[in-house]
Amino acid sequence: MIRSRLDTEGDDYRGRREAMLAKLRELDAEHARAVAGGGEKYVERHRGRGKLLARERIELLVDPDSPFLELSALAAWGSEFPVGAGMVSGIGVIEGVECVITANDPTVRGGASNPWTLKKSLRAADIALRNRLPYVNLVESGGADLPTQKEIFIPGGQIFRDLTRLSAAGVPTIALVFGNSTAGGAYVPGMSDYVVMVRERAKVFLGGPPLVKMATGEESDDESLGGAEMHARTSGLADYLAQDEHDALRIGRRIVRSLNWRKQGMSPQAAREPRYPAEELLGIVPEDLKVPFDPREVLARVVDGSEFEEFKPLYGASLVTGWARIHGYPVGVLANARGVLFSEESQKATQFIQLANQSRTPLLFLQNTTGYMVGKDYEQGGIIKHGAMMINAVSNSTVPHLTIVMGASYGAGNYGMCGRAYEPRFLFSWPSAKSAVMGPAQLAGVLSIVGRASARAKGQVYDEEADAAMRAMVEAQIEAESLPFFLSGRLYDDGVIDPRDTRTVLGLCLSAVNSAPAPEPAGFGVFRP
Ligand code: COA
């Protein structure tokens, strides 16, 4: 059992907790923006039409009082588009079956898909496919956001490709159509296994009446071109005709029940609560990420019974590795302790990842790293080879990976510790996370040294004043770009979470991951020892 050494009475703890709470208040405000959708005017209009909001639809679809793990809630943060990207996505439980659910938010520009909506939608389908989770789309969308069509039209074809690939992989796809689903959008019901349409509301056609008039001269109306009745009785695109929105959601639940879905992964053992309160997770990460913290303090508040069987504790101490359980599921943990990764840590990580693959145990990466060690001694000691071994192991490991960015995630440390490009099944950030190619001051300093050398080579005098201004500007820019809201806005994670929710979120992820069967054994590439 981990014995905590956290001084919860001390000033350090209080300061860290206050800083984290301030960041969580900001996070709440950003989440509220996503929940507000298109704002009061459009919400009123939508309700005035007798329609349910996207989140209300989800709430009525999932089992009462069951958890909903929302994903990419801050999508589009920092862009010209509203936070949330006009879509709600997440994992919810319908009739006892965990499903990936997406819902267009018609109060945001008619539910039209902008470049961030597209990324969010593709991520949802990817999660459904890799974890073998039935995929339910609640459709009401103006299709492509027309002014940004160049960003979405061509890559957007993947939405329909993914739907049919999910079906081919035996993962059910279900479309509940509440409103507009025109043009490309018509292929969402078109490619789905099951289609429900709401009477007098669903409109599904390749071209609306004006386009048809332009193309062929034919006079038509919405209902005869793409109404729910027509699709249920004439074209056969709708499998079920719902009387209203509540009826569509009821039918959706019935469809999921009839799937007779069985999870194919492992079942958890009985879970035990950690011996230390989750509340104390707020006071662990220092404001200044240069100050190290012990990730065992985090594990003590996340894993079952606070029990952690540490592997190789005396070797490569900058990286903590070991075995634990979360909500009864076994995990292998790799957690950064002092930030920098040396050759020993890389070799230890490689061996540990191989061991987890031998025993088919999912891996949890807890990131707080400034990257691999640089300098003559380390280069001569083979830090590139050893870091490459670790990256090889992470890349080719086939057990499910989950990543939490607790603090720093800089340089190739982001790669070795299973950052986004290494396709962990799920990746969440804490509000204290920061990620970039290197720290802002270091990056600005490197640019300055390079600029100075270039001026010298050309025989020019270096402008020190301009250099200072450049450094300040670059530092501010890199700092802003390394913050979690910005990175979450670009879908470089699946969401920013309250540290206190870490155990719950990981438990939901481990349960979702085990909807899929145990993956094939890994075949690693050539290791350079
Ligand atoms: N691209 C960009 N903006 C869009 C849009 C789209 N595809 N669809 C709707 N919007 C905008 C509207 O311009 C409007 O903006 P405004 O309020 O600032 O004026 C806002 O979203 C709401 O649209 P509105 O038409 O008032 O809402 P509605 O609920 O009455 O109708 C639709 C919604 C989707 C039925 C209707 O907007 C529509 O037919 N859109 C175009 C659909 C289409 O042909 N898409 C082709 C995609 S390939």
Side-chain angles (χ1 to χ4, degrees):
M1 194 191 124
I2 301 172
R3 301 235 172 267
S4 174
R5 293 201 198 90
L6 192 67
D7 173 14
T8 54
E9 302 298 321
D11 287 345
D12 271 358
Y13 173 84
R14 259 196 291 274
R16 291 169 183 187
R17 183 182 149 84
E18 284 310 315
M20 185 65 90
L21 284 170
K23 290 193 175 90
L24 284 171
R25 283 192 290 274
E26 289 173 35
L27 179 62
D28 282 350
E30 296 309 319
H31 281 155
R33 284 171 69 191
V35 173
E40 214 172 314
K41 175 177 146 201
Y42 290 95
V43 168
E44 290 288 303
R45 190 177 72 164
H46 188 72
R47 284 200 193 285
R49 292 168 171 171
K51 292 182 165 200
L52 294 163
L53 298 175
R55 283 167 200 277
E56 293 169 342
R57 289 172 181 164
I58 293 177
E59 223 171 306
L60 289 166
L61 180 66
V62 298
D63 294 350
D65 296 330
S66 64
F68 180 69
L69 177 61
E70 185 161 351
L71 301 164
S72 319
L74 299 183
W77 193 95
S79 79
E80 62 188 289
F81 295 100
V83 175
M87 170 179 270
V88 185
S89 87
I91 297 176
V93 184
I94 305 171
E95 293 282 341
V97 179
E98 288 151 289
C99 299
V100 172
I101 303 169
T102 71
N104 300 119
D105 184 345
T107 68
V108 182
R109 303 195 196 184
S113 286
N114 61 56
W116 303 107
T117 325
L118 173 61
K119 274 196 196 302
K120 186 162 172 173
S121 178
L122 295 178
R123 175 65 186 145
D126 181 49
I127 289 172
L129 184 63
R130 295 186 62 212
N131 301 294
R132 195 178 154 273
L133 299 167
Y135 189 36
V136 184
N137 286 289
L138 310 186
V139 184
E140 179 166 16
S141 162
D145 176 80
L146 294 171
T148 50
Q149 67 83 27
K150 70 176 190 306
E151 313 284 346
I152 43 180
F153 165 56
I154 291 175
Q158 192 180 332
I159 290 182
F160 317 117
R161 184 204 77 182
D162 286 353
L163 275 169
T164 190
R165 285 192 177 166
L166 277 161
S167 181
V171 181
T173 53
I174 301 166
L176 310 184
V177 187
F178 293 90
N180 219 61
S181 181
T182 61
Y187 290 105
V188 173
M191 312 300 299
S192 293
D193 292 351
Y194 295 88
V195 177
V196 181
M197 293 191 194
V198 178
R199 185 192 289 274
E200 288 166 12
R201 291 288 165 86
K203 285 189 184 57
V204 184
F205 32 60
L206 292 182
L211 193 145
V212 171
K213 174 82 179 152
M214 290 297 292
T216 66
E218 185 189 7
E219 295 286 348
S220 54
D221 59 82
D222 282 359
E223 203 52 40
S224 64
L225 275 182
E229 288 263 357
M230 186 286 285
H231 281 307
R233 295 183 195 282
T234 313
S235 80
L237 178 61
D239 305 312
Y240 300 87
L241 178 65
Q243 297 308 315
D244 56 23
E245 297 204 6
H246 288 83
D247 192 33
L249 294 161
R250 187 184 60 80
I251 297 169
R253 289 179 53 80
R254 220 174 55 201
I255 293 170
V256 175
R257 189 172 63 208
S258 305
L259 295 173
N260 298 315
W261 194 249
R262 296 276 178 281
K263 291 173 74 159
Q264 294 182 359
M266 67 175 104
S267 304
Q269 288 185 353
R272 280 167 307 130
E273 284 300 305
R275 308 244 183 137
Y276 297 95
E279 187 66 26
E280 293 170 359
L281 288 166
L282 296 180
I284 295 178
V285 184
E287 262 269 76
D288 178 0
L289 291 180
K290 286 199 271 310
V291 179
F293 63 90
D294 187 348
R296 294 175 195 85
E297 296 292 356
V298 173
L299 291 168
R301 290 156 182 88
V302 169
V303 303
D304 287 8
S306 305
E307 282 167 19
F308 183 57
E309 192 188 318
E310 194 160 342
F311 172 76
K312 251 180 157 74
L314 304 178
Y315 186 84
S318 258
L319 183 78
V320 174
T321 52
W323 311 105
R325 285 187 178 264
I326 297 175
H327 281 279
Y329 290 101
V331 286
V333 179
L334 295 96
N336 302 110
R338 279 193 289 280
V340 184
L341 291 161
F342 299 89
S343 288
E344 289 81 354
E345 281 74 13
S346 308
Q347 288 164 319
K348 174 173 164 178
T350 305
Q351 183 188 0
F352 187 71
I353 292 167
Q354 287 184 292
L355 291 174
N357 274 267
Q358 293 280 52
S359 62
R360 324 300 301 138
T361 308
L363 287 169
L364 168 64
F365 295 81
L366 297 178
Q367 289 193 355
N368 179 32
T369 174
T370 46
Y372 292 95
M373 191 64 195
V374 296
K376 190 179 71 191
D377 288 351
Y378 303 98
E379 299 285 2
Q380 292 183 357
I383 187 74
I384 298 175
K385 289 190 313 182
H386 297 135
M389 272 175 67
M390 179 172 169
I391 294 171
N392 176 344
V394 169
S395 306
N396 293 305
S397 157
T398 57
V399 296
H401 295 174
L402 307 176
T403 302
I404 302 280
V405 189
M406 306 182 296
S409 179
Y410 288 108
N414 174 276
Y415 305 162
M417 289 297 290
C418 204
R420 190 60 142 179
Y422 291 79
E423 299 185 332
R425 297 283 184 98
F426 294 95
L427 187 157
F428 291 94
S429 308
W430 283 3
S432 43
K434 277 188 190 172
S435 192
V437 64
M438 59 181 86
Q442 289 84 345
L443 193 145
V446 169
L447 281 179
S448 167
I449 292 169
V450 172
R452 208 175 294 268
S454 166
R456 200 181 311 122
K458 290 188 215 132
Q460 294 166 350
V461 182
Y462 194 58
D463 185 341
E464 293 296 340
E465 215 168 289
D467 178 83
M470 178 279 288
R471 276 189 194 224
M473 199 183 73
V474 168
E475 268 189 51
Q477 179 202 329
I478 302 304
E479 173 70 14
E481 290 174 358
S482 65
L483 295 176
F485 297 170
F486 178 83
L487 296 170
S488 205
R490 303 177 79 79
L491 283 101
Y492 288 151
D493 63 24
D494 294 312
V496 183
I497 59 168
D498 185 329
R500 291 170 292 192
D501 293 334
T502 305
R503 174 176 163 81
T504 306
V505 168
L506 289 173
L508 292 170
C509 291
L510 286 164
S511 180
V513 154
N514 278 295
S515 188
E520 293 296 308
F524 294 98
V526 174
F527 285 119
R528 306 176 63 102

